[in-house]
Amino acid sequence: MPTPPVRKPGSVWTELPRPVSAGAEPVGRVRLGYARASTARQSLDAQLDSLAEAGVTRVLSEKISTLV
């Protein structure tokens, strides 16, 4: 999927026009967030708190190490 020109590193986020679907009206807004800890000893609590304060409605999180 091509990236729109307004989506470049360091740019301010702006909402793009919604695609026109077969008469479907948007029901609401969903804000997605991502929290990650790279070791089992690290906690996601601070990240999850910050995401909640930012109004994120759906959070994907993981604790995973890249070390083998």
Side-chain angles (χ1 to χ4, degrees):
M1 172 174 267
T3 303
V6 295
R7 297 278 196 259
K8 57 186 179 228
S11 66
V12 176
W13 187 89
T14 55
E15 187 170 356
L16 296 175
R18 295 178 186 268
V20 178
S21 305
E25 289 294 320
V27 180
R29 291 181 177 255
V30 175
R31 295 193 72 189
L32 298 177
Y34 176 69
R36 182 178 189 277
S38 57
T39 68
R41 289 183 288 157
Q42 292 178 330
S43 174
L44 295 172
D45 294 341
Q47 293 177 55
L48 295 174
D49 290 343
S50 295
L51 290 169
E53 285 179 25
V56 173
T57 54
R58 175 114 191 245
V59 175
L60 307 169
S61 63
E62 66 181 350
K63 282 190 173 188
I64 189 167
S65 176
T66 57
L67 295 177
V68 178

